[in-house]
Amino acid sequence: MSASILLKDTIAALATPIGEAGIAVVRVSGPLASKILFTLFKTVLKSDEWQSHRLYYGELFDSSNKILDYAMAVWMKGPCSFTGEDVVEFHIHGGQYIALKTLEAIFTEGARSAKPGEFSERAFLNGKIDLTQAESIADMISANSELSLRLAQRQWQGAFSKPVAVLRELLLECLVRLETAVDFPEDDLDFLDRPKLKKIFWEALQQITCWIVDYEKGKILREGLRVVLLGKPNVGKSSLLNQLVQEDAAIVHSQAGTTRDPIHKNIVLAGLTIQLIDTAGLRNSAGEIEKIGIERSLAWFEKADLVLAMFDLSSPLDNDDLKLLSLLGSKPVLLIYNKKDLRPQWDPHLLYEHFNLKRPVQIKSLLISAKNAEGIRELEKIIPELFGLSDFKRKEQFFINQIRHCEALNKAKVSLEMASRALDSAASPELIASDVLMAIQYLGEIIGKINTEDILDSIFSKFCIGK
Ligand code: GDP
């Protein structure tokens, strides 16, 4: 889909949902927009008296020149419009029939039906908005909370695209310097200033890494966390789940093996949605049915964002506990020592030390009594903290929410790391330049400094019709 083909057509679509409502808005954009307006819509004004961006009342005619509706219309003359072209909107009574007949009349006058996101795509192609802004429109429309709306608005204001553009410019300057060094090899030292380049690459990498981390945090905020309770039978998993959800959702019993089907419950901690999953206790000596439950527990373990690994302080550690520890691998985990109200049979510090030795990142642990609701508030605090999400205000900074952006950032990071390594190993300016160029291209993909049809198609096809 090339810009020139696209911009010749006049497109039209219903910009409001189909169904009955007070009003509906039909939008038209393109070279025929004003002709369509003056053909179909009659007011007391002559066409040369119409002012841009003013709403006028009048009669709307259908394709057989019969009055269809008493409506309002606005003409937003290009380039001062959303798409940058002439845009006309008809604000009609919100019935399906009127909307369909209005569109029919518009199509008779030469416009065609707009594809999903085509108005926004035109805005992008005409340089009215960059790609991240276009994507933020879709996010504003689908926002279902104050936070998600605010994040989309920040993206619309360029909170992400502006710094990406600045970073890209900086790398472009480096590229120019590298290419000059290629062209004038004898002056290599003057042009290249390797320490300075190294510093720029390092800072750029820091920034990109920060954005990637922000994306991950934002993803947790948007999609929530899956927290899985794991431990041998009777350590108190169901008791803890019940405390966290404040209801008797899971059966608590001194008989081992009562939870066989995993139990799911949602809670919200510090604005973070958490799906809690109580699983069948892990033990070697389980019967047939219990074994199926254990298999399911292990499947949930794989899908967990965080594992609450529970141990019973009041009974000696055994092979089932050690097996759980060995299972945890590198998953994010919180060690929970339960039944602190009873006499401890082992030293939690020793278990922690032993376990922590094998892990690259330090983990947290907590003593609780699920039965007496002791340590529950601390647990509720620790979970958002573990993901750096306890401060509500800080959450607004995680506005990078498109997987496309994160992928481009990851690729830019790899290219820049290669450039950095090439620089360290005193590689030729050509080699370094090719990596820097790749990084520049990936950053360009984010804001739309590219001409790749597939990327544009995949972005705008996610929009609704009329946007
Ligand atoms: P699960 O099999 O791991 O889900 O364990 P449950 O939650 O069913 O608890 C097993 C038994 O331990 C029950 O009799 C609970 O009342 C008891 N229990 C759970 N937590 C505590 C605790 O903190 N202190 C004491 N004393 N007993 C507990």
Side-chain angles (χ1 to χ4, degrees), residues 3 110 144 148 173 186 195 213 224 283 327 364-365 400 428 438 464:
N144 56 8
S148 46
E173 282 168 29
E186 63 282 5
V213 170
R283 63 169 166 175
L327 181 84
K364 295 215 172 201
S365 61
I400 304 170
S428 70
M438 290 304 284
C464 50

PDB file of all heavy atoms in Angstrom, residues 3 110 144 148 173 186 195 213 224 283 327 364-365 400 428 438 464:
ATOM      1  N   ALA A   3       1.839   5.317  -0.308  1.00  0.00           N
ATOM      2  CA  ALA A   3       1.181   6.545   0.123  1.00  0.00           C
ATOM      3  C   ALA A   3       0.440   7.206  -1.026  1.00  0.00           C
ATOM      4  O   ALA A   3      -0.691   7.658  -0.876  1.00  0.00           O
ATOM      5  CB  ALA A   3       2.218   7.488   0.703  1.00  0.00           C
ATOM      6  N   GLY A 110     -18.633   8.978  -4.725  1.00  0.00           N
ATOM      7  CA  GLY A 110     -17.252   8.675  -5.140  1.00  0.00           C
ATOM      8  C   GLY A 110     -16.304   8.261  -4.031  1.00  0.00           C
ATOM      9  O   GLY A 110     -15.142   7.940  -4.313  1.00  0.00           O
ATOM     10  N   ASN A 144      -9.416   0.842  29.741  1.00  0.00           N
ATOM     11  CA  ASN A 144     -10.527   0.472  30.618  1.00  0.00           C
ATOM     12  C   ASN A 144     -10.270   0.886  32.064  1.00  0.00           C
ATOM     13  O   ASN A 144     -10.945   0.462  32.981  1.00  0.00           O
ATOM     14  CB  ASN A 144     -10.817  -1.028  30.530  1.00  0.00           C
ATOM     15  CG  ASN A 144      -9.585  -1.835  30.844  1.00  0.00           C
ATOM     16  OD1 ASN A 144      -8.570  -1.284  31.268  1.00  0.00           O
ATOM     17  ND2 ASN A 144      -9.650  -3.129  30.628  1.00  0.00           N
ATOM     18  N   SER A 148      -4.677   3.110  32.489  1.00  0.00           N
ATOM     19  CA  SER A 148      -4.382   2.783  31.089  1.00  0.00           C
ATOM     20  C   SER A 148      -4.664   3.969  30.180  1.00  0.00           C
ATOM     21  O   SER A 148      -3.950   4.200  29.202  1.00  0.00           O
ATOM     22  CB  SER A 148      -5.109   1.522  30.626  1.00  0.00           C
ATOM     23  OG  SER A 148      -6.442   1.537  31.008  1.00  0.00           O
ATOM     24  N   GLU A 173      24.438  10.851  14.382  1.00  0.00           N
ATOM     25  CA  GLU A 173      25.670  11.659  14.425  1.00  0.00           C
ATOM     26  C   GLU A 173      26.895  10.756  14.522  1.00  0.00           C
ATOM     27  O   GLU A 173      27.915  11.000  13.870  1.00  0.00           O
ATOM     28  CB  GLU A 173      25.650  12.615  15.622  1.00  0.00           C
ATOM     29  CG  GLU A 173      24.787  13.841  15.392  1.00  0.00           C
ATOM     30  CD  GLU A 173      24.551  14.624  16.679  1.00  0.00           C
ATOM     31  OE1 GLU A 173      25.422  14.585  17.570  1.00  0.00           O
ATOM     32  OE2 GLU A 173      23.485  15.258  16.779  1.00  0.00           O
ATOM     33  N   GLU A 186      42.949   8.228   6.858  1.00  0.00           N
ATOM     34  CA  GLU A 186      44.183   8.799   7.447  1.00  0.00           C
ATOM     35  C   GLU A 186      43.874   9.717   8.637  1.00  0.00           C
ATOM     36  O   GLU A 186      44.692   9.932   9.510  1.00  0.00           O
ATOM     37  CB  GLU A 186      45.022   9.524   6.382  1.00  0.00           C
ATOM     38  CG  GLU A 186      44.388  10.730   5.731  1.00  0.00           C
ATOM     39  CD  GLU A 186      43.340  10.374   4.655  1.00  0.00           C
ATOM     40  OE1 GLU A 186      43.010   9.186   4.460  1.00  0.00           O
ATOM     41  OE2 GLU A 186      42.857  11.319   4.032  1.00  0.00           O
ATOM     42  N   PRO A 195      36.845   6.955  22.592  1.00  0.00           N
ATOM     43  CA  PRO A 195      36.297   7.029  23.965  1.00  0.00           C
ATOM     44  C   PRO A 195      34.934   7.721  24.002  1.00  0.00           C
ATOM     45  O   PRO A 195      34.029   7.306  24.732  1.00  0.00           O
ATOM     46  CB  PRO A 195      37.346   7.846  24.733  1.00  0.00           C
ATOM     47  CG  PRO A 195      38.589   7.728  23.929  1.00  0.00           C
ATOM     48  CD  PRO A 195      38.176   7.562  22.507  1.00  0.00           C
ATOM     49  N   VAL A 213      12.953  -2.739  30.473  1.00  0.00           N
ATOM     50  CA  VAL A 213      12.482  -3.086  31.834  1.00  0.00           C
ATOM     51  C   VAL A 213      11.113  -2.440  32.069  1.00  0.00           C
ATOM     52  O   VAL A 213      10.194  -3.062  32.613  1.00  0.00           O
ATOM     53  CB  VAL A 213      13.509  -2.624  32.895  1.00  0.00           C
ATOM     54  CG1 VAL A 213      12.933  -2.754  34.293  1.00  0.00           C
ATOM     55  CG2 VAL A 213      14.795  -3.428  32.762  1.00  0.00           C
ATOM     56  N   GLY A 224      -1.511  -8.279  34.793  1.00  0.00           N
ATOM     57  CA  GLY A 224      -1.552  -8.889  36.120  1.00  0.00           C
ATOM     58  C   GLY A 224      -0.464  -9.931  36.284  1.00  0.00           C
ATOM     59  O   GLY A 224       0.281 -10.233  35.348  1.00  0.00           O
ATOM     60  N   ARG A 283       4.049 -34.322  46.622  1.00  0.00           N
ATOM     61  CA  ARG A 283       4.692 -35.368  47.432  1.00  0.00           C
ATOM     62  C   ARG A 283       4.863 -36.624  46.598  1.00  0.00           C
ATOM     63  O   ARG A 283       4.126 -36.868  45.640  1.00  0.00           O
ATOM     64  CB  ARG A 283       3.888 -35.659  48.691  1.00  0.00           C
ATOM     65  CG  ARG A 283       2.493 -36.202  48.435  1.00  0.00           C
ATOM     66  CD  ARG A 283       1.893 -36.707  49.721  1.00  0.00           C
ATOM     67  NE  ARG A 283       0.463 -36.919  49.580  1.00  0.00           N
ATOM     68  CZ  ARG A 283      -0.275 -37.448  50.534  1.00  0.00           C
ATOM     69  NH1 ARG A 283       0.261 -37.772  51.683  1.00  0.00           N
ATOM     70  NH2 ARG A 283      -1.563 -37.626  50.354  1.00  0.00           N
ATOM     71  N   LEU A 327      13.279 -27.951  42.397  1.00  0.00           N
ATOM     72  CA  LEU A 327      12.415 -27.682  41.237  1.00  0.00           C
ATOM     73  C   LEU A 327      12.419 -26.200  40.847  1.00  0.00           C
ATOM     74  O   LEU A 327      12.254 -25.843  39.679  1.00  0.00           O
ATOM     75  CB  LEU A 327      10.996 -28.105  41.634  1.00  0.00           C
ATOM     76  CG  LEU A 327       9.884 -27.973  40.631  1.00  0.00           C
ATOM     77  CD1 LEU A 327       9.901 -29.211  39.743  1.00  0.00           C
ATOM     78  CD2 LEU A 327       8.536 -27.887  41.336  1.00  0.00           C
ATOM     79  N   LYS A 364      13.646 -13.345  48.462  1.00  0.00           N
ATOM     80  CA  LYS A 364      13.120 -12.929  49.757  1.00  0.00           C
ATOM     81  C   LYS A 364      12.445 -14.102  50.439  1.00  0.00           C
ATOM     82  O   LYS A 364      12.023 -15.063  49.786  1.00  0.00           O
ATOM     83  CB  LYS A 364      12.102 -11.822  49.558  1.00  0.00           C
ATOM     84  CG  LYS A 364      12.711 -10.567  48.992  1.00  0.00           C
ATOM     85  CD  LYS A 364      12.046  -9.350  49.548  1.00  0.00           C
ATOM     86  CE  LYS A 364      12.820  -8.131  49.090  1.00  0.00           C
ATOM     87  NZ  LYS A 364      12.648  -6.975  49.838  1.00  0.00           N
ATOM     88  N   SER A 365      12.339 -14.000  51.749  1.00  0.00           N
ATOM     89  CA  SER A 365      11.638 -15.035  52.499  1.00  0.00           C
ATOM     90  C   SER A 365      10.819 -14.358  53.592  1.00  0.00           C
ATOM     91  O   SER A 365      11.072 -13.204  53.948  1.00  0.00           O
ATOM     92  CB  SER A 365      12.636 -16.009  53.101  1.00  0.00           C
ATOM     93  OG  SER A 365      13.479 -15.314  53.992  1.00  0.00           O
ATOM     94  N   ILE A 400       5.430   2.253  27.941  1.00  0.00           N
ATOM     95  CA  ILE A 400       5.803   1.479  26.752  1.00  0.00           C
ATOM     96  C   ILE A 400       4.994   0.195  26.799  1.00  0.00           C
ATOM     97  O   ILE A 400       5.223  -0.658  27.654  1.00  0.00           O
ATOM     98  CB  ILE A 400       7.309   1.175  26.743  1.00  0.00           C
ATOM     99  CG1 ILE A 400       8.074   2.486  26.831  1.00  0.00           C
ATOM    100  CG2 ILE A 400       7.700   0.374  25.514  1.00  0.00           C
ATOM    101  CD1 ILE A 400       9.530   2.322  27.074  1.00  0.00           C
ATOM    102  N   SER A 428      37.267  -2.129  12.417  1.00  0.00           N
ATOM    103  CA  SER A 428      37.287  -1.034  11.446  1.00  0.00           C
ATOM    104  C   SER A 428      36.021  -0.176  11.607  1.00  0.00           C
ATOM    105  O   SER A 428      34.966  -0.688  12.009  1.00  0.00           O
ATOM    106  CB  SER A 428      37.326  -1.596  10.033  1.00  0.00           C
ATOM    107  OG  SER A 428      36.084  -2.192   9.764  1.00  0.00           O
ATOM    108  N   MET A 438      22.161  -0.506  11.948  1.00  0.00           N
ATOM    109  CA  MET A 438      21.073  -1.430  12.306  1.00  0.00           C
ATOM    110  C   MET A 438      20.302  -0.882  13.516  1.00  0.00           C
ATOM    111  O   MET A 438      19.073  -0.872  13.525  1.00  0.00           O
ATOM    112  CB  MET A 438      21.628  -2.823  12.664  1.00  0.00           C
ATOM    113  CG  MET A 438      22.193  -3.602  11.499  1.00  0.00           C
ATOM    114  SD  MET A 438      21.011  -3.807  10.179  1.00  0.00           S
ATOM    115  CE  MET A 438      19.972  -5.053  10.870  1.00  0.00           C
ATOM    116  N   CYS A 464     -10.013   0.012  14.943  1.00  0.00           N
ATOM    117  CA  CYS A 464     -11.396  -0.187  14.530  1.00  0.00           C
ATOM    118  C   CYS A 464     -11.658   0.643  13.271  1.00  0.00           C
ATOM    119  O   CYS A 464     -10.905   1.567  12.964  1.00  0.00           O
ATOM    120  CB  CYS A 464     -12.350   0.205  15.650  1.00  0.00           C
ATOM    121  SG  CYS A 464     -12.033   1.816  16.339  1.00  0.00           S
TER     122      CYS A 464
END
